Amino acid sequence: MAAMPGFIQITTTTDSGAAAERIANELVARRLAGCVQIIGPIQSLYRWQGAIERAEEWLLLIKTAAERYPAVEAAIRELHSYECPEIIATPITQGSGAYLKWLGEQM
């Protein structure tokens, strides 16, 4: 079996379901991600500019190849309304061979 490329899951949050849909659609349409799941609304609690804030947000779970991280980050920054969006990448260290093969074929 051929070696699989490294995959990552990138997370980001948005302030609306519509914004989450727009970002997810663009990432998949541009073939920067094989799959994006949208979860929400969720409640976020964080410190921003010295104050504790609460917000209703939507969480995006973006599956992509590790080599595509810079392009995914650039696209999120382009499409996102936040001044400082959460963009965190986590390596996928294991997974179903069939799923990872499918994921690689989508990009």
Side-chain angles (χ1 to χ4, degrees), residues 39-91:
I39 302 168
I42 61 170
Q43 295 299 312
S44 295
L45 179 69
Y46 55 93
R47 187 177 300 277
W48 180 249
Q49 298 180 343
I52 295 176
E53 302 285 340
R54 290 183 184 272
E56 183 174 86
E57 295 185 299
W58 280 256
L59 175 66
L60 285 80
L61 303 176
I62 304 157
K63 282 75 161 185
T64 190
E67 66 192 27
R68 285 186 163 74
Y69 177 82
V72 173
E73 180 180 340
I76 291 171
R77 291 187 182 282
E78 169 197 336
L79 299 164
H80 214 292
S81 64
Y82 289 1
E83 180 181 334
C84 181
E86 168 190 347
I87 306 172
I88 298 172
T90 305

Side-chain angles (χ1 to χ4, degrees), residues 1-72:
M1 182 164 124
M4 296 296 295
F7 292 104
I8 58 176
Q9 179 172 276
I10 300 171
T11 58
T12 192
T13 55
T14 63
D15 62 356
S16 71
E21 288 278 344
R22 185 178 72 253
I23 292 170
N25 187 66
E26 283 296 315
L27 293 176
V28 173
R30 295 179 190 185
R31 300 184 77 88
L32 295 175
C35 175
V36 180
Q37 295 164 316
I38 300 169
I39 302 168
I42 61 170
Q43 295 299 312
S44 295
L45 179 69
Y46 55 93
R47 187 177 300 277
W48 180 249
Q49 298 180 343
I52 295 176
E53 302 285 340
R54 290 183 184 272
E56 183 174 86
E57 295 185 299
W58 280 256
L59 175 66
L60 285 80
L61 303 176
I62 304 157
K63 282 75 161 185
T64 190
E67 66 192 27
R68 285 186 163 74
Y69 177 82
V72 173

